[in-house]
Amino acid sequence: MKVSELFEAAYQETFKDYIERLKSMGLNPVGNGLNSVVFEHPTMPHVAVKIFMDDDLGYREYLEFCLSHPRNKYVPRIFETDDFSSERRTKYFTKELHANWNVSRSVNEPYSIAFIEMLKPVTVEAMEAMINRLANIAGLDEINSLAKLGPTGWATIAEDERDKDLQEFAKFLVSQVKVGHKLDMGNRKNFCLRGDQFVFIDPFF
């Protein structure tokens, strides 16, 4: 099986049909959301393949932020085309990895592919630790979900300079809320771990 065949054929398939074909070819799904499905890469165990609907504007903006802030420890690392040197002839990688969102490629349901570092599911302990830490920075009483922070809590965190990466991430969230994106912090599937490092996978609805 050529890896390039998995991705180039997406031009002719709806989102649902493409997902089902990848499953039938043996790709292992490791997660899913309302508008996306994540698979293990068929040849690279350190890479996750995320297929998502193009109308998920918040996630598209988040991918751009991740690509432009590759050293921020709180965001997932997005693999550039050059990281797939043996597969660079596959034009589909270049289109998706550089976020040229071509909505004309599918008449019904345009969708895109992102190649992201493979991360671990977040643990209860890591989740609780991050909730407590952010609540403390935001000056809130004890909370049981990051959804309780809300835009006001994140705005306070964005002013705290003790952790530059966290401040940078918070400033981005606040800017996106101002243009109409809604925070989605109540689902544990939106967070992962890189070792012991907490990572925000998809912070928007």
Side-chain angles (χ1 to χ4, degrees):
M1 176 179 67
K2 294 182 179 180
V3 174
S4 61
E5 293 176 357
L6 303 177
F7 308 113
E8 288 184 337
Y11 283 97
Q12 289 80 39
E13 294 173 301
T14 65
F15 179 79
K16 181 178 178 181
D17 289 342
Y18 182 51
I19 295 301
E20 291 305 312
R21 184 169 66 85
L22 292 184
K23 290 179 180 178
S24 71
M25 296 179 73
L27 268 73
N28 181 35
V30 294
N32 66 281
L34 183 62
N35 300 302
S36 64
V37 179
V38 180
F39 293 92
E40 293 179 348
H41 192 283
T43 62
M44 297 182 230
H46 64 289
V47 178
V49 180
K50 183 168 184 174
I51 298 95
F52 62 98
M53 301 298 294
D54 274 3
D55 61 3
D56 190 348
L57 301 180
Y59 186 66
R60 285 167 51 182
E61 293 291 338
Y62 189 48
L63 278 184
E64 294 284 1
F65 175 78
C66 295
L67 281 166
S68 61
H69 298 84
R71 291 189 173 89
N72 189 306
K73 58 180 177 285
Y74 294 101
V75 305
R77 294 166 183 155
I78 313 300
F79 291 99
E80 298 281 0
T81 305
D82 289 346
D83 293 318
F84 294 84
S85 58
S86 64
E87 297 161 333
R88 287 176 63 186
R89 63 184 180 278
T90 305
K91 59 185 179 181
Y92 202 72
F93 288 116
T94 304
K95 281 184 175 295
E96 304 306 331
L97 288 173
H98 292 288
N100 295 324
W101 312 106
N102 179 8
V103 297
S104 66
R105 67 174 172 273
S106 173
V107 174
N108 298 314
E109 300 172 295
Y111 52 91
S112 294
I113 298 172
F115 299 87
I116 305 169
E117 64 174 321
M118 182 65 76
L119 298 166
K120 302 185 301 183
V122 69
T123 62
V124 173
E125 294 78 12
M127 194 78 220
E128 290 178 348
M130 181 55 74
I131 289 172
N132 292 334
R133 180 183 175 206
L134 294 179
N136 180 264
I137 296 173
L140 299 175
D141 294 330
E142 186 175 338
I143 59 176
N144 58 10
S145 169
L146 291 187
K148 301 291 186 180
L149 283 174
T152 302
W154 281 108
T156 301
I157 295 169
E159 296 175 356
D160 191 289
E161 299 183 347
R162 288 174 291 180
D163 184 333
K164 294 297 186 182
D165 284 345
L166 184 60
Q167 182 184 34
E168 184 177 64
F169 174 77
K171 285 182 176 179
F172 169 73
L173 291 190
V174 172
S175 71
Q176 293 302 297
V177 168
K178 287 180 179 178
V179 298
H181 295 309
K182 296 182 179 179
L183 297 178
D184 183 14
M185 296 285 186
N187 191 331
R188 276 185 57 194
K189 291 193 297 184
N190 290 344
F191 316 102
C192 280
L193 293 175
R194 179 191 304 116
D196 295 327
Q197 175 60 51
F198 195 92
V199 178
F200 295 87
I201 297 300
D202 184 358
F204 304 110
F205 282 114

